Amino acid sequence: MKNQHQYLPETHRHALQAYINLLRLQNYSENTIDVYRNWFIYFLNHFNMKKPSTITKQDIMEFLLAFKKDMKWSATSQNQLISSVKFFYEKLLKHDREVYDLPRAQKPEQLPTVFAAEEVKAIIQCTENIKHKTVLCLAYAGGLRISELVNLKIADIDSKRMVITLRAAKGKKDRQIMLSETLLEILRKYFIEQKIKPKVWLFEGVNSVQYSVRSVGKIMDNAKLKAGITKKGSIHALRHSFATHLLESGTDLITIK
């Protein structure tokens, strides 16, 4: 779907821009904006001879049914496509809420990947770069999501109160996690050994640019490769692994939450 917007009629391009603007005004994440935009472009290309505001519910139903029949779509892609279309008509054009007679695909229930304690240890120990090692340690021992890792600022680490503040975490809400003595030691070692000191963000790339989600994902991929671990699981699996290890060691659920 990349660059498909270049071939849209002018009316469709205007609709797309208004669509993206509204997503940003409503504080959708950049990842969600990318997903919605790509599916909406696909939708607009299908109706490139019709003004978007004139596309009827019947048109949309036929489009969805044809898409489901002709393409291999997953539960995720089906739901994303429907949601992207509904956003345009219900949020941007202020149409009444519509229920399309096409059942939302049910996502298969899958248990999250959990690494054994020995695997987590191997992943972290094989990582020589101190910044990368710190990223992995925080993801595991802090139970952080990947978006929380890249959005961490130096000012969010409070060694006096022994807490880490996660700004606009899931649900756009701030939350705090405990800063353990072990994590504090790791962070201090990172600041001492890191040649180019971070200025604003806890983890920065070239020219003090905030680390990207993609960069953090690559850190995990490379660490697994070096550790010889073939089990599927992204850096998010470290978060699940930490919670599981706490539970297995006898920590109660309320404390884990």
Side-chain angles (χ1 to χ4, degrees):
M1 288 183 275
K2 188 177 181 181
N3 297 329
Q4 288 297 305
H5 65 282
Q6 295 177 354
Y7 308 104
L8 291 172
E10 187 175 358
T11 53
H12 291 52
R13 290 200 299 272
H14 285 317
L16 176 61
Q17 189 57 58
Y19 182 87
I20 295 170
N21 290 343
L22 184 59
L23 283 166
R24 291 208 166 103
L25 282 171
Q26 295 198 356
N27 291 323
Y28 280 70
S29 70
E30 284 301 317
N31 182 62
T32 301
I33 291 172
D34 285 343
V35 171
Y36 272 43
R37 176 179 57 212
N38 288 337
W39 282 118
F40 188 55
I41 289 171
Y42 183 88
F43 173 77
L44 291 176
N45 271 298
H46 183 83
F47 293 103
N48 62 358
M49 300 300 290
K50 256 188 161 182
K51 284 183 66 175
S53 59
T54 65
I55 298 170
T56 66
K57 179 179 179 179
Q58 185 59 37
D59 292 332
I60 295 172
M61 279 300 304
E62 290 174 1
F63 160 74
L64 292 172
L65 288 168
F67 181 64
K68 185 171 186 179
K69 180 180 178 181
D70 294 342
M71 296 186 67
K72 288 183 178 179
W73 69 350
S74 65
T76 298
S77 62
Q78 174 181 337
N79 293 337
Q80 288 173 346
L81 175 58
I82 294 173
S83 294
S84 70
V85 172
K86 284 173 69 64
F87 183 87
F88 177 70
Y89 290 101
E90 296 172 17
K91 302 294 185 181
L92 185 62
L93 298 188
K94 302 295 184 182
H95 289 186
D96 292 335
R97 184 175 180 274
E98 287 283 3
V99 178
Y100 298 101
D101 298 324
L102 183 69
R104 291 294 187 107
Q106 296 297 314
K107 293 183 180 180
E109 292 190 9
Q110 297 177 332
L111 292 173
T113 299
V114 174
F115 294 109
E118 294 76 14
E119 291 174 321
V120 173
K121 186 177 180 181
I123 288 170
I124 293 173
Q125 286 187 339
C126 77
T127 306
E128 297 177 1
N129 183 295
I130 186 61
K131 178 163 58 179
H132 296 176
K133 188 187 291 285
T134 306
V135 167
L136 295 173
C137 286
L138 264 176
Y140 175 69
L144 271 63
R145 299 177 178 89
I146 192 167
S147 59
E148 294 168 343
L149 282 167
V150 299
N151 287 324
L152 264 180
K153 293 183 178 180
I154 298 170
D156 296 329
I157 310 298
D158 190 338
S159 58
K160 291 183 179 178
R161 295 177 56 232
M162 294 301 287
V163 294
I164 299 175
T165 301
L166 306 175
R167 310 286 178 183
K170 190 172 183 182
K172 303 293 182 182
K173 296 178 181 178
D174 292 354
R175 70 184 180 95
Q176 287 186 326
I177 61 171
M178 298 301 296
L179 174 60
S180 68
E181 290 289 348
T182 302
L183 266 182
L184 181 58
E185 288 179 16
I186 292 169
L187 287 169
R188 282 175 173 163
K189 184 178 180 182
Y190 161 55
F191 271 89
I192 292 170
E193 296 185 11
Q194 183 68 15
K195 292 181 180 179
I196 301 176
K197 309 298 182 187
K199 296 177 180 178
V200 177
W201 306 100
L202 186 59
F203 302 113
E204 296 177 343
V206 181
N207 298 322
S208 300
V209 175
Q210 176 186 13
Y211 248 31
S212 67
V213 168
R214 183 181 177 85
S215 296
V216 173
K218 283 185 176 180
I219 290 172
M220 181 65 175
D221 291 341
N222 291 336
K224 283 175 59 183
L225 189 63
K226 287 181 180 178
I229 294 173
T230 57
K231 182 187 291 184
K232 290 184 178 180
S234 65
I235 196 165
H236 193 74
L238 291 178
R239 170 181 163 85
H240 292 302
S241 301
F242 182 61
T244 302
H245 297 162
L246 285 176
L247 186 63
E248 290 173 345
S249 66
T251 307
D252 62 273
L253 283 172
I254 294 176
T255 302
I256 293 173
K257 287 181 180 179

